[in-house]
Amino acid sequence: MESKKYSIEKQKNGTLIVRMHSQDTEGNKLPDAVFTFRPNDPQYELWLKKYNAVKSDIKNT
């Protein structure tokens, strides 16, 4: 699932991979920051809601 600042991918085992896209500042682009969240992680439900919201928006267009 894509957003302007981040993308979220859900793996078959339920793990969410969140990629925070870096921005080019003064010609120096840093690598993207990548985080993984698994069920029972403190922030898992937050990112799952964002994933489902974007997925729902795509289906409705």
Side-chain angles (χ1 to χ4, degrees), residues 10-60:
K10 186 174 181 184
Q11 297 183 327
K12 290 181 182 181
N13 65 2
T15 299
L16 297 174
I17 300 173
V18 179
R19 179 177 302 272
M20 306 300 281
H21 303 292
S22 66
Q23 297 179 351
D24 189 355
T25 57
E26 300 176 12
N28 299 317
K29 186 173 180 184
L30 297 171
D32 293 346
V34 180
F35 304 91
T36 59
F37 300 99
R38 292 171 179 81
N40 299 320
D41 284 346
Q43 293 188 22
Y44 182 82
E45 291 298 320
L46 169 77
W47 288 105
L48 182 60
K49 286 178 186 176
K50 290 182 182 201
Y51 171 83
N52 288 330
V54 172
K55 186 176 176 183
S56 175
D57 287 346
I58 290 172
K59 279 186 175 181
N60 294 328

